Amino acid sequence: MSNLSKYQTGKIPTWCSGCGNFLLISGLQKCFADQNIDTENIVAVYDIGCAGNMADFIHAYGLHTLHGRVVPVAMGVKLYNPKLTVLCIGGDGGIYGEGLNHLITAARANIDLKVFVSNNFLYSLTTGQTSPTTPYQAKTKSTPQGSPLIPLRAIELIKKVNPKVFAKTATNQKPKELFAKIKQAMEFKGFALLDIETECVAFGKQLKQ
Amino acid sequence: MKGKVTTIKIVGPAGLGIKTSGLLLSHILLEQGYSVHDYSEYPSLIRGGHNTYQLSFSSTEVKAPFYQVNLLFSLAKNHFQPHLAEMKSKSLIFSDEQNPKVKYLPLEKLAKKAGNPVFKNTICLGVAVFLLDLNYSKSQKTLKNFFPKKVKENLKAFQLGYEYASKNYSSLKLKIDRLKNKKGLTFNDGNEAFGWGFLKGRGDFYAAYPMTPSTGTLHFLAAKAKEYKINVRHAEDEIGVANMAAGAAFAGARSAVGTSGGGFALMSECISFCGITEIGMVFYLVQRVGPATGMPTWTAQGDLLFYVFSGHGEFPKIVLAPGDQEESFEFGWKALNLAENLQTPIIVISDKFLGESSKTTPDFNQEKPTINRGKLLDKKIFKGFARYETKYACGRSYRTIPGVKGGEFLANSYEHDKQGFSTEDPQKATQMMEKRMRKLKTALRITPKPQLYGPKNYQRLIISWGSTKGPILEAMKLAGDQKLAFLQIRTLWPLHSEVKKLINQAKKIIIIENNQTSQLTTLLKAQFDFKPTKKILKFNGRPFFPEELYEQFK
Ligand SMILES: Cc1ncc(C[n+]2csc(CCOP(=O)(O)OP(=O)(O)O)c2C)c(N)n1
Ligand code: SF4
Ligand SMILES: [Mg+2]
């Protein structure tokens, strides 16, 4: 029996309606079901942020880590027990900002982790400040005069770090393609990073001004 | 005379093999049955500067290196100068220079004869073996095992030194007590001893980022990783180190990290994470002189309060301080047991002096400590399992690891309920905090108790912790005071009630620490009314020597 509900905790998600994280969680759960992975063999590691708040909603072994630290925690799990399916879920702030060195290291190691970044170009849980992917000059709560930094192009960076890893971009605008890429990432043998561009319905409007 | 201690020192610029030849001499003594304790000083440089290696040995156990030197070998001109204060009237200095203070030893000439100027150190060994009247062929054998490469040249240099000494120094031979060969002894520094404790305690995940003086354990375990089939990982930074080890512990590893104060500063966020998620792992912290980069290769006990109060928020944490190499081994495996038993972070404190000084110890490889994995469900769960169940009086709840069906749970850095789901409910938050904190009380039953040395009816009581143990015990031997005892606090957090009881029985209290502010005084004062009569504090990067403490005990 493979059904979606066995990967659900039954908790009602706390995201805004229309938030892109709904699509990511259903894509992940569908992929688990399609591949029929037992819940006890999944370890999902979550960052702090709106994306990381998925922790309460997926039924599996889980670690809701500190901000920025998903990747090393997941590496520890995977190094110790390579049989487990280990994934990381977090935002652009945690994974490309606070924890970028860890991401680069995991890519260099080409360790079999699946990293899903819900890239909303903002720090959303903290109510909308600039993040490593915020467009140059975009006005946010912490950069009312415009963001002084050029955005980080994480996928290009990781591809440069290690061309052998899986590093791709997806968008919430195209759910079908997104689901297919989630599947590709999960099936990839080695390190996989999927950057999912999404719009924060609560704080994303500032970026369009 | 039985128990007489002899001290030998080799000094010179870095890069001349001072430590190597010193260690070799220690092994020669060890293999001829002597008890040895060494100590070396070196600057944070690769070449040049001034390095020293000294060893104290005796036919009975030597618990600390002594200050006063019997034989000093200076491998380069003038390098003996800083050590004149360490010389007694009959002490001898050997150097390749004409100076009324030294015995002329033509190192340059002899080394050339041996075929290479780098053999100056081995020539000194030949001289030492002659002066100490050690067994020549046994010493040769030790040397052969020590230098698998360049054996021939080294043997030649050794012989030249020995012959030169027998021709020129035959009246200078030292009187040392002879003894029969003892077996089963090895020579380990504190970092290796901790490494052995980790291996024998079935530690199977060790992560570190090189930082003097903790790196010895990383090197030791990395070299053993294949044989023992364990993970040893040099991670990208100390933040990665700690979080990786926490992930491994969550997955079922007996996990530890090693660093010094600066590295631990980066880990202090993670120790708090381990506290709330109840991930048990060991932090092996080898202090050096701070603040900041400080004096990397020198010893200190300046991080006690930082370690005890590390991490944001309130959570149970156990802090152990081994006092010698044997305890570094013992606390190595015990800490792994405690980590799994109490499901909380365990700190083991060492320092440069203990971590990098070697001593004659039992062969740790032969030890078989008991392994305790606590309330671990690694096969199946019971009905009603909840990872963070709060009903147990001891504060410990049952734990599963990935792969165990039905045991899925969330290790959550947010406050959580019994299943691990986030909660901000005031009642649940109170219960969960209290559950975790009850483990501190449980810890008092199973952590190393304070140890009293000396008479039970003491009047004066020395209180200390960590690596000062050896120098204190040797100084007490020198003092021979029947009313002087020493209380070694082995678990610094939580504190056992015996500490207060034993302190209250003393008329006078002497506190000894390698720091400036007497951090142990601060810690004890926070627990009960405490006023030491005298504080002996040293914070210049050097350990205490028995002689200087003895002077202070008078
Ligand atoms: C060490 C630390 N610094 C800061 C924070 C506060 N914080 C929580 S979430 C967050 C940023 C989240 O941004 P992102 O990772 O992009 O996730 P999002 O909320 O956008 O999904 C920050 C700065 C924290 N929890 N820990
Ligand atoms: S604030 Fe933005 S990212 Fe967070 S839940 Fe709402 S829409 Fe999603
Ligand atoms: Mg974001």
Side-chain angles (χ1 to χ4, degrees), chain A residues 47-117:
Chain A
D47 210 291
I48 299 299
C50 286
N53 279 347
M54 196 181 292
D56 277 14
F57 318 134
I58 289 187
H59 180 67
Y61 278 93
L63 283 139
H64 202 161
T65 64
L66 296 164
H67 186 46
R69 309 305 166 213
V70 266
V71 172
V73 170
M75 258 180 101
V77 172
K78 186 73 188 179
L79 284 170
Y80 189 70
N81 187 350
K83 283 187 221 141
L84 300 168
T85 298
V86 185
L87 40 147
C88 297
I89 294 135
D92 42 318
I95 293 177
Y96 299 153
E98 195 94 314
L100 183 63
N101 192 15
H102 308 310
L103 185 73
I104 291 171
T105 306
R108 286 170 58 207
N110 196 5
I111 185 168
D112 194 352
L113 299 180
K114 315 301 169 197
V115 183
F116 298 96
V117 178

Side-chain angles (χ1 to χ4, degrees), chain A residues 48-51 67 91-94 98 118 120 122-126, chain B residues 269:
Chain A
I48 299 299
C50 286
H67 186 46
D92 42 318
E98 195 94 314
S118 177
N120 56 11
L122 281 173
Y123 284 26
S124 285
L125 189 65
T126 46
Chain B
E269 183 194 43

Side-chain angles (χ1 to χ4, degrees), chain A:
Chain A
M1 179 197 73
S2 79
N3 58 29
L4 280 174
S5 67
K6 82 171 187 188
Y7 303 102
Q8 294 167 352
T9 59
K11 299 249 168 206
I12 298 165
T14 46
W15 294 308
C16 307
S17 56
C19 172
N21 287 313
F22 283 106
L23 209 54
L24 176 57
I25 192 173
S26 45
L28 288 171
Q29 286 167 333
K30 184 175 181 319
C31 190
F32 297 156
D34 290 349
Q35 300 183 359
N36 200 16
I37 314 174
D38 289 328
T39 52
E40 68 268 23
N41 293 326
I42 299 172
V43 177
V45 188
Y46 309 89
D47 210 291
I48 299 299
C50 286
N53 279 347
M54 196 181 292
D56 277 14
F57 318 134
I58 289 187
H59 180 67
Y61 278 93
L63 283 139
H64 202 161
T65 64
L66 296 164
H67 186 46
R69 309 305 166 213
V70 266
V71 172
V73 170
M75 258 180 101
V77 172
K78 186 73 188 179
L79 284 170
Y80 189 70
N81 187 350
K83 283 187 221 141
L84 300 168
T85 298
V86 185
L87 40 147
C88 297
I89 294 135
D92 42 318
I95 293 177
Y96 299 153
E98 195 94 314
L100 183 63
N101 192 15
H102 308 310
L103 185 73
I104 291 171
T105 306
R108 286 170 58 207
N110 196 5
I111 185 168
D112 194 352
L113 299 180
K114 315 301 169 197
V115 183
F116 298 96
V117 178
S118 177
N119 178 5
N120 56 11
F121 307 94
L122 281 173
Y123 284 26
S124 285
L125 189 65
T126 46
T127 72
Q129 300 83 7
T130 186
S131 93
T133 54
T134 303
Y136 181 59
Q137 293 288 309
K139 291 187 171 73
T140 72
K141 275 191 186 164
S142 62
T143 57
Q145 318 310 330
S147 170
L149 308 180
I150 58 161
L152 182 83
R153 297 194 298 269
I155 295 299
E156 277 174 54
L157 173 75
I158 292 302
K159 275 187 180 157
K160 276 254 161 65
V161 165
N162 189 349
K164 288 199 180 112
V165 304
F166 177 105
K168 285 194 175 159
T169 309
T171 164
N172 255 345
Q173 303 297 314
K174 298 176 182 161
K176 224 175 153 174
E177 218 180 284
L178 170 64
F179 277 36
K181 282 183 177 162
I182 290 175
K183 190 164 171 262
Q184 278 173 28
M186 290 292 292
E187 282 170 353
F188 185 76
K189 301 252 174 298
F191 178 83
L193 168 65
L194 187 63
D195 177 273
I196 303 143
E197 293 186 356
T198 169
E199 191 184 328
C200 169
V201 295
F203 305 107
K205 279 186 213 93
Q206 353 168 37
L207 299 176
K208 294 184 185 148
Q209 281 166 19

